Amino acid sequence: MRGGYVFSEVLTGLRRNITMTIAMILTTAISLGLLGGGILVARMTSHAQQLYGDKVQVDVYLTPEVSANDPDCRDVCLTLKDSMQNNPDIASVEYHSQEDAYNEYKERFAGQKEMLDIVRKEALSAFLRVRLKDPAKISIISEQYSGKPGVRSVSDQRELLNRVFSVLNGVRNATLAIALVQAIAALLLISNMVQIAAFTRRTETSIMRLVGASRWRTQLPFVIEAVVAGVIGAVLAVGGLIAAKVWFVDKSLSSVMATGVLPPITANDMLIVAPILIGSGIVLAAVSAYLTLRAYVRT
Amino acid sequence: MIHLSHVSKSYKTSTRPALDDVSVEVDKGEFAFLIGPSGSGKSTFLRLLLREDAPEKGEISVAGSDLTKIRRSKVPGHRRRLGCVFQDFRLLTNKTVSQNVGFALEVLGRPRAVIKRVVPEVLELVGLEGKSNRLPHELSGGEQQRVAIARAFVNRPLLLLADEPTGNLDPDTSADIMLLLERINRTGTTVLMATHDNAIVDSMRRRVIELQLGKLVRDEDRGVYGVGR
Ligand SMILES: Nc1ncnc2c1ncn2[C@@H]1O[C@H](COP(=O)(O)OP(=O)(O)OP(=O)(O)O)[C@@H](O)[C@H]1O
Ligand SMILES: [Mg+2]
């Protein structure tokens, strides 16, 4: 079997059925584009989690009595601090006394006399600033320490973070779900294209078989046709994602990304996604073409 | 070369068997006609030899392959050792004359250089030199049948099967095709040809195997078409 002959059959095959080929390429492109979008959002989420991970801290405020009577963290405060240091989920604990809290307050509102006037040092609480190993577990601090002796309250950044993550996860899941539906459509279209190709060329195929061509030899062009269309679809998908990044994400979201709220999509992300999409395109096309030929095409 | 013993074949949709307990031997190098009225089972006979179908009963062996036991994957290999020609030519319509002929070598895995050398030789043998780049629809019926014969002969088969190869051709063209088949037979290739054409059978005076309603009714060396009727 010689590659050149098979390849020329593939080209005529794709041209002969051009509208179907285009439909298949576009559906594959949309499906893979969405898959790529889903992967990019997933990567963004995990980047974001890392990004926030460094910043996520929970402040455990101590009661006024402890704040006032235990300024050097020797007694009730020390018990709390020790238990936190032994907690496997907690990366670090830092004690901020009433004095420190007041100094921080003064720094933050430097130049705003009214703000400085209304607060006395005694009104502020000392607190333990906790950093977590895994920011996703942020809720365990308030669960475990809220009622403990000496604790007045636990600051809660959970709400905001959870909202950001759930939006990102929702976007990712929706994208992947649409990608899946599109992938099924692409699969059916590939299968249909292969069936039509095999049907329109059934006389040709039966002649080839009479001359002694193997089943492989007569069917390989159909599989390659599907794979070529799949690869073109994947390349379009990658092109579409790059265009979407340059014209949409980078432009309209640049201010959000600059503030560090969302991490940018990098060229590196694209380099990882492109081969995944091309590989998926090849596998999707080859597998559905092969199964179709096994299931529907005799000769 | 061809060996059938007690072969029967029925199609699911018909009541009487297309072949009924047929036993025949054809030796290496023979030229034999397979005759009989329409529906007598000639094409079915050839289809069994090509392993397009399998018989219900009996044993068939062709060119050393036992077709009773042959595995599906070995069928292409079996066909590569035969050549076949049909009334409707069965050329690949989107390939040129030389590509059609070359295809039989391509499936054998012959190198491109060999194909390039051998195909023109065979086209010359069948009288088609200068037409190698035409497509089948640019040829006359007789010329198309020559292409089919060239394709059947290019891999020097042991056995050439022809199912009414002159059925669509005028008498003069038919005579040319018969000359070609005779020449091929003289190279040592066994030829088995199904036909209704009494003029051809009578003029050639070769072995005649006659079927009627699926039964073998006559097997005669140097026979004619209409004897005994
Ligand atoms: N695919 C098929 N399905 C059902 N019956 C068939 C099929 N092919 C042939 N037959 C039947 O088998 C019998 C033999 O057919 P066959 O084609 O072998 O005859 P033939 O001698 O070649 O006739 P002709 O000279 O008209 O070509 C006929 O009765 C025909 O109707
Ligand atoms: Mg017939």
Side-chain angles (χ1 to χ4, degrees), chain B residues 22-86:
Chain B
V22 174
S23 299
V24 162
E25 300 255 355
V26 178
D27 287 336
K28 199 163 184 294
E30 270 196 89
F31 192 119
F33 287 112
L34 185 62
I35 66 167
S38 187
S40 57
K42 305 181 294 295
S43 297
T44 305
F45 190 105
L46 297 181
R47 284 167 55 81
L48 292 182
L49 300 184
L50 275 167
R51 198 53 165 81
E52 281 191 84
D53 252 319
E56 276 86 55
K57 278 191 238 129
E59 277 166 25
I60 305 181
S61 85
V62 177
S65 313
D66 180 351
L67 297 190
T68 333
K69 298 199 194 91
I70 194 169
R71 288 214 309 273
R72 275 172 74 92
S73 59
K74 297 275 187 249
V75 172
H78 165 67
R79 290 181 184 158
R80 285 170 209 162
R81 284 185 286 133
L82 311 183
C84 51
V85 180
F86 301 90

Side-chain angles (χ1 to χ4, degrees), chain A residues 68-291:
Chain A
N69 302 334
D70 190 6
D72 296 322
C73 197
R74 292 223 173 89
D75 190 20
V76 187
C77 166
L78 188 63
T79 321
L80 275 172
K81 193 178 168 195
D82 282 345
S83 107
M84 286 172 179
Q85 270 162 347
N86 294 330
N87 190 321
D89 289 320
I90 290 173
S92 68
V93 187
E94 220 173 80
Y95 174 68
H96 292 239
S97 65
Q98 205 167 41
E99 188 76 46
D100 298 331
Y102 189 55
N103 289 337
E104 283 165 31
Y105 184 87
K106 283 197 290 193
E107 247 169 62
R108 192 184 309 169
F109 297 103
Q112 293 174 259
K113 198 164 174 300
E114 324 76 61
M115 295 299 282
L116 296 177
D117 284 345
I118 53 168
V119 168
R120 289 168 303 110
K121 182 177 134 188
E122 291 70 32
L124 292 171
S125 296
F127 60 90
L128 291 161
R129 178 155 287 175
V130 178
R131 277 179 219 283
L132 288 151
K133 286 186 181 146
D134 177 3
K137 290 191 178 167
I138 191 162
S139 58
I140 62 166
I141 302 300
S142 81
E143 280 159 18
Q144 290 178 9
Y145 294 98
S146 285
K148 285 270 167 83
V151 174
R152 195 193 66 176
S153 67
V154 176
S155 82
D156 211 342
Q157 291 173 300
R158 209 162 24 149
E159 272 303 297
L160 170 70
L161 275 185
N162 282 351
R163 218 178 304 147
V164 171
F165 288 148
S166 79
V167 167
L168 286 177
N169 283 338
V171 170
R172 181 196 62 195
N173 292 346
T175 322
L176 291 181
I178 303 171
L180 185 74
V181 173
Q182 284 288 325
I184 294 171
L187 216 101
L188 294 177
L189 270 179
I190 294 169
S191 169
N192 193 250
M193 182 180 104
V194 169
Q195 282 179 58
I196 288 177
F199 185 76
T200 50
R201 277 179 272 168
R202 68 195 181 287
T203 327
E204 210 174 313
T205 305
S206 74
I207 294 171
M208 289 179 167
R209 300 280 288 156
L210 271 179
V211 181
S214 61
R215 190 174 164 139
W216 225 166
R217 170 63 183 83
T218 54
Q219 295 192 343
L220 190 62
F222 301 131
V223 176
I224 298 180
E225 266 170 57
V227 169
V228 167
V231 169
I232 296 174
V235 169
L236 285 182
V238 172
L241 285 179
I242 291 174
K245 170 183 147 54
V246 172
W247 302 112
F248 171 69
V249 179
D250 289 358
K251 283 224 172 90
S252 50
L253 296 181
S254 59
S255 56
V256 187
M257 284 168 175
T259 60
V261 174
L262 281 177
I265 298 170
T266 60
N268 193 25
D269 289 327
M270 288 312 218
L271 281 180
I272 289 172
V273 168
I276 294 179
L277 295 192
I278 290 172
S280 313
I282 291 173
V283 171
L284 182 80
V287 167
S288 60
Y290 177 76
L291 292 180

